[in-house]
Amino acid sequence: MKLIGISGTNVDDSATTLLLNFIKKEFSSLAEIEIIDIRQLPLFNESIEIGTSQLVQDISQTIAEADGVIISTSEHNRSIPSALNSFIEWMSFKEHPFNNKPVMIIGTSIRVQGSSSAQLHLRQILDAPGVDALVLPGNEFLLGSSASTFDEQNNLKDTSTIKFLQSCFKNFLHFIQAAEFLNASEEVHFEPGEYQVSAIGHNGKLPMTITVSEKRIEKIEIDTKNETKGIADTVFKRIPEQIVSAQTLNIDVVSGASVTSHGVIDGVAEAIDLAGGDAAVLKRRPKPQKAMEQDPLELTTDVVVVGGGGAGLSAAACVLKAKRQVVVVEKFPSIGGNTIRTGGPMNAADPEWQGTFDALSGEAATLEEVLSQDEKQIDEEYRNDFKDLRKQIKDYLQNGNNKLFDSILWHRIQTYLGGKRTDLNGNEIHGQYELVKILTNKALESVKWLEDIGVEFDPNEVSMPVGAKWRRGHKPLKNQGYAYISALQDFINNQGGKILTDVPVQELLIEEGTIKGVIGRNAEGRCVVIHAKSVVLASGGFGANTKMIQKYNTYWTKIDDAIATSNSPAITGDGIKLGESVNAALVGMGFTQMMPVSDPVTGELFTGLQVPPANYVMVNKEGERFVDEYESRDVLTQAAIDNGSLFYLIADDKIKETAYNTSQQKIDEQVAAGTLYRADSLAELAQQIGIDPDTFVDTITKYNSYADMGNDPEFGKEVFDLKVQVAPFYATPRKPAMHHTMGGLKIDSNTHVLNKDGVIIDNLYAAGEVAGGIHAGNRLGGNSLTDIFTFGRIAGMMAVKGITDK
Amino acid sequence: MINLIGIVGTGAVESTNRKLLQYMKRNFSTQATIEIYELTNLPFFDKPVSQTAPEIIARLSQKIVEADGVIISTPEYDHTIPAALASLLEWFAYTTQPLRDKPVMITGASYGVLGTSRAQSHLRQILNAPELSGLLMPGREYLLGGSLQAFTAAGELTDVAKKEELDRYFGDFMQFIAKNR
């Protein structure tokens, strides 16, 4: 007999744990008890499952495999401790290991009550749908005044208490055996024949004929002429089908028609009894598999878009603008995908606008490097653009312009150079010219298009998100990534588009060898079939699928199992797998991008102080700088990994003002919560984060002198803005987290998905992170929004064109 | 003006309880100011030996002490209140005890029809614990079932009867605060 022990407390030396340990030791000859530490899991939050899902699954598996569970609880405020409550929430959210699992409840308290109220709550909780435990009735074991009940060897002192505990424990072992019968399926025998019964319906009697063979219910016929049309029609069809196919009477009633549903089920039960069977046995049988319960939900539209992030919604908006029907299918309960998580800036060269901002020190030097770069290093297809760019830069520099420079070509060449990488196997990759050309040519058009949809951009700030390499970010005035999603959502809803949430697409609908839509499953387990003339895959990359990243990785020396991700947990490569099911070619799958400046625990980007890279000051755990903070993300990431991953972003009061992600209230809260450090002097800040104050002060002094000179002899930082000098000072702890997957489905410039022979797959389009080939080995910050809104729009338009051309 | 603290009883990103509090904040703005607090980012209760509250808890406690009353809007998870809310109440009970003799109004919204009835009855028992000692109004409850459909896009309650019921409840709560001054 294998049991699991759970101590429902968050304190080490609690009597609750002592009691469980005592049971384990005292009754070891009767059963093996493995104690699970529930404190491994964070406080339950259905919106955050990053980094915990594997752990939750493992614990759930252990419980599911055990014969029974003993839960020992303390009492907090008349109820169970939040630690135990949270644990049960995890174990009833995605996983349900307590289902039909025998559970014994015990408990302790410091005062005499012995957790009596907590135990009653726990019984109710374990009875909740989704938990569905089988709790041992009676046998209430309450250990009050717990401080004085154990001796030095942690044994219970009182013999009569031990005796009672033993009797409860033995009863539990009997209960486990009895519970086995509940889960066993029972045979039934009928007298074969047809049985006439009548059940009570809404409007009177329902005559029914039930045909049974020796062991099965074969047929159910219902005379429905007296019953209300409408919902009840579903009842007469669905319930008999479920009963016959699953041979059970444990059937869910049809919502809105419970009386009729019960009428049918009771009628069949009566017939079973007439046939010499036992209807109670059939009612105890498990419910039918959900898939069998209902007919599929069928929808027909022009274009179906898989994924409700920025790419999918802009594709859908374009379909609607072309006066065609569209259905967006999103697997999560809410739309937005990764787009909703972004900080908001979107790259687009808009020289006229950018030229109204002053140039920063160092920017000219960056441009001069282009002039001195060896042209032969530039891949042939980009060479002409590179030459033209040089002319533009020469003109700019010769005219002594002190305003910010930009051009479409500069954006293009930066995207290309920024993405050119070589992996561990020596394979070189750079962005496909045609795709990068479209991206950069149409970027500004995408900004204007979004403005037209209702996104307001801030005209007074040109942003440079981390890893962007240049200031060309158009940032929504408010709400960061949500600005895009809410505007697009409103547009789609107002134009008659349909957005289905909670429907993961499981396969492509293929008829006569051609893609004709998608098949998914909704939250009730019902199959959803969407017939469409074009399918747009816009389901994002695979940044939240560590196993998939590990499978394809050819770039990083190691991908840790426990790596955090900045991605929505929805981003698990589903669209790539859908593409693979129709032989789609993949490109650049080994190249992934880490976000060097992520929250060490959650992988989020927007905790702490996120400032423009000109104001980044990064120090490692020794209090020393270790990299040119203006470097690309992968250089920053590798540098961080080489320095033990954890590092700090240092800011002073002025730099704090440049943070684009936070408010004073959030800052104060984070300081209070210990996720952000603040001190009135640099030395004090160093002490808070556990680094040597002298080293740290020296590091900052040097950094400030480099900022004055505009030149960093140590690491080569060239672009500076502010120095670190005005108290209070801040340190934001950071660690690299998985951020973007550059690889994906191979597409042509019209977003058609290509197969492994380079041939267009009919009716299939892909846009956004699900597609590969654009960002190649490294994506510039701010380019993903440009990508999704540019190629999302193209996909929408091409999906319509594909229909019109036929 | 009456000052109230509203607590969203879940850390979930999408919460109809948050919507309910936001609705109350707007709708009752002439009677009271309601400052809404989230459970997101609050530390998980771990019974520190020091018995001192983390600063973020201490600050919320101080807000509650200074306020005239508290509204807790809770979802129902597994027939009880979410662990996140339980954790906050544990911090309060174990450290600052700001709810002592503080008028508390309980509301709850759920997707299903029962409208958090069981969570609310647990919450009442919990608030009745000696270390919390919140002042609850007998016989008043507000159960918002089918909450996904209960609000318009602008966050207004769709059902007139549910709107009026909340108006009455809130009016009673205002009187309850006045009586307990």
Side-chain angles (χ1 to χ4, degrees):
Chain A
M1 188 79 72
K2 169 81 187 279
L3 304 179
I4 297 297
I6 292 168
S7 178
T9 172
N10 33 23
V11 195
D12 277 329
D13 55 351
S14 145
T16 306
T17 311
L18 290 183
L19 177 60
L20 199 57
N21 287 332
F22 176 75
I23 292 176
K24 177 181 165 131
K25 190 172 60 180
E26 186 75 7
F27 305 134
S28 59
S29 60
L30 298 172
E32 180 198 344
I33 302 177
E34 179 188 341
I35 295 178
I36 293 180
D37 182 8
I38 63 173
R39 288 179 297 174
Q40 321 169 56
L41 291 174
L43 181 56
F44 176 76
N45 183 335
E46 69 226 58
S47 309
I48 300 170
E49 28 170 2
I50 305 155
T52 55
S53 58
Q54 191 57 47
L55 191 53
V56 168
Q57 280 173 29
D58 290 348
I59 294 174
S60 168
Q61 175 92 11
T62 311
I63 294 176
E65 282 166 6
D67 297 301
V69 180
I70 303 174
I71 302 180
S72 183
T73 183
S74 311
E75 179 163 312
H76 289 178
N77 304 322
R78 302 271 157 91
S79 190
I80 61 170
S82 59
L84 179 57
N85 188 351
S86 169
F87 180 74
I88 296 173
E89 284 168 352
W90 281 118
M91 291 299 141
S92 59
F93 179 49
K94 291 278 170 72
E95 306 286 326
H96 303 276
F98 283 110
N99 187 13
N100 276 356
K101 188 65 61 188
V103 175
M104 175 184 185
I105 297 174
I106 54 176
T108 71
S109 73
I110 295 164
R111 285 189 277 260
V112 292
Q113 289 288 317
S115 73
S116 63
S117 182
Q119 290 198 26
L120 288 177
H121 277 198
L122 185 53
R123 277 178 185 276
Q124 290 181 291
I125 291 165
L126 291 169
D127 208 22
V131 188
D132 295 311
L134 292 176
V135 184
L136 172 69
N139 296 285
E140 206 173 38
F141 186 83
L142 310 166
L143 189 69
S145 313
S146 57
S148 57
T149 50
F150 290 93
D151 65 18
E152 281 110 39
Q153 280 75 47
N154 290 333
N155 291 321
L156 278 173
K157 286 183 198 163
D158 182 37
T159 0
S160 61
T161 307
I162 298 176
K163 274 205 174 127
F164 178 60
L165 182 59
Q166 184 172 31
S167 98
C168 292
F169 188 75
K170 283 186 169 168
N171 286 339
F172 182 52
L173 299 183
H174 284 300
F175 179 69
I176 290 174
Q177 286 170 343
E180 279 178 24
F181 288 101
L182 288 176
N183 293 326
S185 73
E186 293 168 79
E187 289 279 305
V188 283
H189 293 280
F190 306 124
E191 187 63 45
E194 287 186 0
Y195 295 86
Q196 311 287 333
V197 291
S198 60
I200 310 297
H202 239 303
N203 304 335
K205 289 186 171 176
L206 296 169
M208 309 203 304
T209 309
I210 288 96
T211 312
V212 298
S213 61
E214 200 179 326
K215 287 192 172 172
R216 289 177 56 85
I217 306 165
E218 299 289 353
K219 201 156 91 181
I220 301 167
E221 290 163 296
I222 308 170
D223 181 353
T224 61
K225 62 176 180 288
N226 290 331
E227 203 53 26
T228 328
K229 291 282 170 205
I231 299 174
D233 295 346
T234 321
V235 175
F236 302 133
K237 188 161 179 289
R238 189 190 302 166
I239 291 189
E241 275 176 7
Q242 289 181 7
I243 293 175
V244 173
S245 68
Q247 296 291 308
T248 174
L249 289 179
N250 187 3
I251 303 278
D252 285 329
V253 301
V254 176
S255 356
S258 55
V259 173
T260 325
S261 302
H262 283 302
V264 175
I265 296 167
D266 292 347
V268 178
E270 193 189 342
I272 295 300
D273 288 340
L274 284 175
D278 184 353
V281 170
L282 292 182
K283 284 188 176 170
R284 278 200 299 270
R285 284 187 174 172
K287 288 184 178 176
Q289 291 295 308
K290 284 209 156 166
M292 292 156 64
E293 274 182 32
Q294 292 167 313
D295 300 331
L297 183 69
E298 307 247 358
L299 294 170
T300 302
T301 184
D302 292 319
V303 179
V304 62
V305 177
V306 181
L313 296 181
S314 43
C318 285
V319 174
L320 292 166
K321 284 194 169 199
K323 305 290 175 210
R324 290 280 179 167
Q325 289 181 317
V326 70
V327 175
V328 178
V329 212
E330 164 59 46
K331 83 166 167 181
F332 260 38
S334 55
I335 58 168
N338 269 354
T339 310
I340 214 160
R341 297 186 161 222
T342 69
M346 162 175 176
N347 289 343
D350 183 357
E352 207 175 299
W353 171 62
Q354 284 157 289
T356 62
F357 297 91
D358 290 337
L360 290 182
S361 74
E363 284 175 344
T366 309
L367 293 173
E368 271 156 17
E369 265 176 37
V370 176
L371 299 182
S372 60
Q373 192 165 353
D374 182 4
E375 207 175 279
K376 291 197 192 73
Q377 287 174 350
I378 302 297
D379 287 278
E380 210 183 330
E381 64 270 33
Y382 285 94
R383 215 168 281 159
N384 281 336
D385 287 346
F386 187 73
K387 286 177 187 161
D388 291 343
L389 171 64
R390 279 189 170 176
K391 283 183 210 141
Q392 293 176 350
I393 291 177
K394 265 185 201 148
D395 280 352
Y396 170 82
L397 292 174
Q398 274 166 6
N399 292 334
N401 202 326
N402 58 0
K403 294 293 183 181
L404 174 59
F405 169 81
D406 205 7
S407 72
I408 287 174
L409 291 182
W410 180 217
H411 185 196
R412 183 173 309 157
I413 293 298
Q414 283 197 304
T415 302
Y416 152 71
L417 287 175
K420 193 172 160 78
R421 288 292 185 278
T422 302
D423 69 7
L424 299 168
N425 306 329
N427 295 318
E428 189 270 349
I429 193 170
H430 60 264
Q432 289 170 28
Y433 179 75
E434 278 306 318
L435 298 179
V436 175
K437 184 178 166 186
I438 291 170
L439 178 85
T440 47
N441 271 349
K442 292 193 177 283
L444 189 58
E445 186 185 299
S446 297
V447 171
K448 304 284 180 212
W449 183 85
L450 285 163
E451 281 178 333
D452 189 43
I453 291 280
V455 181
E456 282 183 87
F457 289 95
D458 187 348
N460 300 315
E461 192 192 335
V462 57
S463 305
M464 183 175 112
V466 59
K469 298 214 149 212
W470 202 252
R471 292 187 297 145
R472 60 169 71 90
H474 301 246
K475 186 171 172 259
L477 256 180
K478 52 191 173 192
N479 296 337
Q480 303 182 348
Y482 183 69
Y484 302 107
I485 297 302
S486 60
L488 285 163
Q489 181 180 20
D490 289 348
F491 180 84
I492 291 168
N493 286 336
N494 291 332
Q495 301 294 317
K498 200 176 178 84
I499 300 175
L500 299 179
T501 53
D502 252 333
V503 180
V505 168
Q506 291 165 323
E507 51 186 302
L508 294 168
L509 175 65
I510 295 174
E511 287 168 359
E512 292 161 10
T514 315
I515 295 169
K516 294 282 184 185
V518 299
I519 303 172
R521 197 165 285 286
N522 71 9
E524 290 83 46
R526 188 169 177 191
C527 185
V528 180
V529 180
I530 303 170
H531 303 271
K533 299 182 185 91
S534 301
V535 175
V536 176
L537 298 176
S539 50
F542 51 103
N545 187 339
T546 308
K547 287 216 165 73
M548 195 165 165
I549 292 163
Q550 290 170 330
K551 175 182 162 188
Y552 286 103
N553 172 52
T554 57
Y555 189 69
W556 305 102
T557 42
K558 187 178 184 326
I559 304 282
D560 202 282
D561 284 343
I563 189 167
T565 176
S566 61
N567 283 230
S568 150
I571 309 300
T572 49
D574 307 0
I576 293 171
K577 291 176 207 158
L578 288 173
E580 280 189 292
S581 74
V582 289
N583 199 32
L586 303 181
V587 55
M589 290 292 285
F591 294 86
T592 54
Q593 180 170 59
M594 303 241 213
M595 185 55 147
V597 288
S598 300
D599 188 291
V601 180
T602 64
E604 285 175 292
L605 308 185
F606 296 101
T607 58
L609 298 176
Q610 292 281 13
V611 299
N615 286 334
Y616 272 177
V617 185
M618 294 178 174
V619 304
N620 63 16
K621 284 177 276 192
E622 274 69 52
E624 291 164 341
R625 283 178 68 227
F626 56 93
V627 68
D628 167 8
E629 288 90 343
Y630 217 69
E631 262 297 352
S632 63
R633 297 170 188 215
D634 59 342
V635 173
L636 296 180
T637 297
Q638 195 56 55
I641 292 174
D642 295 345
N643 279 270
S645 286
L646 181 69
F647 64 96
Y648 298 91
L649 286 178
I650 306 302
D652 75 345
D653 201 47
K654 292 283 177 248
I655 294 177
K656 180 203 80 179
E657 299 296 329
T658 66
Y660 49 80
N661 64 315
T662 191
S663 62
Q664 192 58 46
Q665 190 193 342
K666 282 192 202 165
I667 290 172
D668 291 343
E669 281 171 12
Q670 290 173 19
V671 170
T675 54
L676 172 66
Y677 300 93
R678 175 168 61 197
D680 288 328
S681 71
L682 288 169
E684 202 188 310
L685 187 66
Q687 273 161 356
Q688 280 191 24
I689 55 181
I691 59 183
D692 176 46
D694 293 340
T695 313
F696 181 61
V697 171
D698 182 48
T699 300
I700 299 302
T701 313
K702 277 194 282 187
Y703 178 87
N704 288 345
S705 71
Y706 303 157
D708 279 334
M709 297 190 290
N711 156 34
D712 165 17
E714 276 187 287
F715 299 100
K717 185 170 182 177
E718 289 171 339
V719 181
F720 294 92
D721 183 16
L722 296 166
K723 290 187 283 184
V724 183
Q725 51 189 3
V726 183
F729 301 99
Y730 294 87
T732 304
R734 298 285 90 170
K735 243 185 193 177
M738 186 46 66
H739 189 49
H740 189 97
T741 51
M742 277 76 70
L745 300 172
K746 192 171 170 89
I747 55 170
D748 69 8
S749 46
N750 289 328
T751 72
H752 289 114
V753 179
L754 302 177
N755 74 11
K756 289 186 179 134
D757 302 320
V759 177
I760 288 172
I761 300 175
D762 261 354
N763 305 343
L764 191 63
Y765 306 80
E769 202 174 337
V770 73
I774 300 168
H775 311 291
N778 174 59
R779 177 190 57 93
L780 296 188
N783 259 4
S784 54
L785 290 168
T786 316
D787 174 359
I788 60 174
F789 295 123
T790 302
F791 287 96
R793 288 192 300 126
I794 295 173
M797 291 185 276
M798 289 301 146
V800 170
K801 188 166 184 288
I803 300 170
T804 343
D805 287 353
K806 270 175 195 158
Chain B
M1 191 64 128
I2 297 289
N3 285 311
L4 302 176
I5 300 295
I7 296 174
V8 183
T10 167
V13 173
E14 295 285 332
S15 161
T16 50
N17 282 288
R18 184 178 299 117
K19 279 191 185 161
L20 181 58
L21 279 172
Q22 286 165 345
Y23 166 80
M24 291 168 75
K25 180 186 171 109
R26 274 195 315 276
N27 198 47
F28 301 129
S29 59
T30 54
Q31 301 172 63
T33 52
I34 302 176
E35 199 174 338
I36 299 176
Y37 279 82
E38 299 281 346
L39 298 182
T40 338
N41 297 330
L42 295 186
F44 198 171
F45 178 67
D46 59 358
K47 211 175 177 180
V49 184
S50 65
Q51 292 212 14
T52 50
E55 205 188 319
I56 189 164
I57 300 286
R59 215 151 353 108
L60 176 54
S61 290
Q62 191 53 36
K63 283 278 183 189
I64 290 175
V65 169
E66 287 160 10
D68 298 298
V70 175
I71 308 172
I72 302 177
S73 197
T74 182
E76 177 168 307
Y77 293 174
D78 297 337
H79 287 175
T80 191
I81 61 170
L85 178 56
S87 169
L88 173 67
L89 295 173
E90 285 171 334
W91 279 118
F92 284 165
Y94 189 66
T95 60
T96 48
Q97 305 195 353
L99 291 171
R100 192 168 283 284
D101 298 331
K102 184 68 64 183
V104 180
M105 172 174 181
I106 298 176
T107 60
S110 75
Y111 294 175
V113 290
L114 296 183
T116 73
S117 64
R118 291 183 262 216
Q120 290 198 26
S121 98
H122 276 194
L123 183 54
R124 276 181 177 267
Q125 284 179 286
I126 290 167
L127 289 169
N128 213 16
E131 290 79 11
L132 288 169
S133 293
L135 276 188
L136 295 160
M137 278 190 291
R140 310 297 201 288
E141 62 183 3
Y142 188 72
L143 309 168
L144 185 64
S147 61
L148 276 180
Q149 286 78 40
F151 295 96
T152 65
E156 292 300 307
L157 278 171
T158 47
D159 181 354
V160 178
K162 284 313 270 186
K163 212 170 146 72
E164 288 170 358
E165 186 188 339
L166 189 56
D167 289 348
R168 280 196 302 278
Y169 184 12
F170 194 80
D172 289 354
F173 186 53
M174 290 294 101
Q175 285 185 18
F176 184 68
I177 289 174
K179 280 181 198 155
N180 282 291
R181 288 224 169 196

